[in-house]
Amino acid sequence: MKERVREILSWYGSDNPGTLTNLARMLNHGRLGGTGRMVILPVDQGFEHGPARSFAPNPAGYDPRYHFELGIGAGCNAYAAPLGFLEAGAAEFAGDIPLILKLNNSDSLSKGEPCSALTGSVDEALRLGCVAIGFTIYPASSLRNVMLQELRDLTQEAKRKGLAVVVWSYPRGAGISKEGETAIDVVAYAAQIAAQLGAHVIMVMLPTAHIEQDAAKKVYEKEKIPVGTLPDRVKHVVQSAFAGRRIVIFSGGEAKETAAMMDEIRAIRDGGGFGSIIGRNSFQRKQADALDFLRNVMDIYAGVTK
């Protein structure tokens, strides 16, 4: 095992050895294996946004097997998806890429306060040979307590049964403005909440320089916390997850131009982020382009290219 991976595993020393083995499987897999960096392919967008919005730009994506092939071909550390997509390919691609079963999902048909529904279980993750469960929480939602309790219960079960825990911590809801969803103070807070709930891998949005909370703004200004550049903000978010002793990776968000995406990847790397979770920015491209794109991302994280 590479020394960097051994160091990261030591941060979670009290966990079930089976859980640490599965976390190591993600960290040691693919083009970034052993570096401590991660690129995860998530394909929950069909459930979250609908099939046409997700897959019409690249119709091959309607087929669940396509995403297994993309993640394997690109050398991603892991592939995350809801139950149906994983069931459609887990047997055919068994052992070829670490799998994360997304245990809760929402849909865009409801207009109420964000609160994802349970759509899978820890036992189903075990049946499919997954290394981890995934779960989304929405800090700032008035229904956050429901999600936090569900995550607490599932985390306890997953760790007892030897699975790692991956948490998407995306602040949304009545408690903050739209701009506040990616504010530096809010994203850092979201990372802290996920770490406190026992996550091994924490996924957050890239933060802007906006500060949402008045009380937080006073502290940021008094303590002169650097947030002026994206690497500064990434560094602060990672610091907020137990002084960098939890794996924090950043979402690619909505599809964007390649040059802009690569600038973000460099900023994550330079700020000490552990990597990226990239969905629409990869699978909405034709396969050859998607493979090149993901490999270029990994080359930046690996230090092969600037």
Side-chain angles (χ1 to χ4, degrees):
M1 186 187 300
K2 295 290 181 67
E3 191 59 36
R4 178 56 173 161
V5 174
R6 198 180 303 276
E7 177 190 6
I8 291 171
L9 295 179
S10 73
W11 302 341
Y12 309 91
S14 63
D15 278 340
N16 181 339
T19 299
L20 297 181
T21 295
N22 277 322
L23 181 59
R25 285 176 179 160
M26 283 193 285
L27 287 166
N28 284 319
H29 189 82
R31 288 169 63 87
L32 293 174
T35 66
R37 306 276 192 172
M38 301 180 75
V39 171
I40 295 176
L41 174 67
V43 191
D44 58 347
Q45 290 83 355
F47 200 131
E48 301 273 337
H49 305 299
R53 286 175 59 190
S54 302
F55 308 126
N58 176 25
Y62 284 105
D63 186 338
R65 296 171 299 175
Y66 173 80
H67 304 287
F68 282 87
E69 294 168 353
L70 178 58
I72 294 164
C76 293
N77 293 79
Y79 166 47
L83 179 64
F85 255 29
L86 290 194
E87 280 188 327
E92 183 177 348
F93 298 98
D96 290 339
I97 187 170
L99 301 178
I100 302 165
L101 177 59
K102 188 77 167 17
L103 294 192
N104 70 337
N105 290 276
S106 61
D107 61 74
S108 59
L109 299 175
S110 172
K111 304 303 179 186
E113 273 288 272
C115 183
S116 296
L118 288 174
T119 57
S121 69
V122 173
D123 284 342
E124 284 168 323
L126 291 169
R127 172 173 62 83
L128 294 170
C130 296
V131 300
I133 62 166
F135 196 91
T136 297
I137 57 173
Y138 296 124
S141 170
S142 63
L143 300 174
R144 67 193 180 283
N145 287 357
V146 173
M147 290 174 277
L148 299 189
Q149 184 60 57
E150 288 174 343
L151 175 58
R152 179 70 194 94
D153 294 342
L154 289 166
T155 295
Q156 186 176 39
E157 182 184 1
K159 291 182 177 181
R160 186 173 70 247
K161 294 179 177 179
L163 296 180
V165 178
V166 178
V167 174
W168 284 250
S169 192
Y170 290 170
R172 292 174 189 166
I176 55 172
S177 67
K178 185 65 177 176
E179 188 180 19
E181 293 178 4
T182 53
I184 178 58
D185 60 315
V186 174
V187 174
Y189 200 167
Q192 168 77 193
I193 290 170
Q196 293 282 11
L197 285 165
H200 297 98
V201 180
I202 298 163
M203 302 181 187
V204 293
M205 301 294 290
L206 273 172
T208 67
H210 173 65
I211 298 175
E212 176 79 356
Q213 305 165 96
D214 290 337
K217 188 171 184 178
K218 295 175 184 177
V219 175
Y220 277 78
E221 291 175 348
K222 178 182 177 183
E223 303 301 333
K224 297 181 171 58
I225 299 172
V227 297
T229 69
L230 187 50
D232 285 339
R233 297 192 291 274
V234 167
K235 182 178 181 180
H236 178 59
V237 172
V238 173
Q239 178 188 40
S240 298
F242 296 0
R245 291 174 63 85
R246 290 297 180 266
I247 299 168
V248 181
I249 66 177
F250 293 83
S251 171
E254 296 182 358
K256 55 179 68 76
E257 293 298 320
T258 299
M261 190 72 193
M262 294 304 168
D263 286 343
E264 290 182 352
I265 300 303
R266 293 183 189 96
I268 294 168
R269 178 200 62 193
D270 296 346
F274 289 75
S276 295
I277 178 165
I278 305 175
R280 285 169 287 182
N281 280 291
S282 56
F283 68 71
Q284 288 188 345
R285 303 166 188 258
K286 302 301 180 184
Q287 187 174 51
D289 292 339
L291 290 171
D292 284 344
F293 170 80
L294 287 169
R295 289 167 183 161
N296 288 337
V297 167
M298 294 176 204
D299 283 348
I300 291 173
Y301 280 131
V304 174
T305 62
K306 293 183 180 181

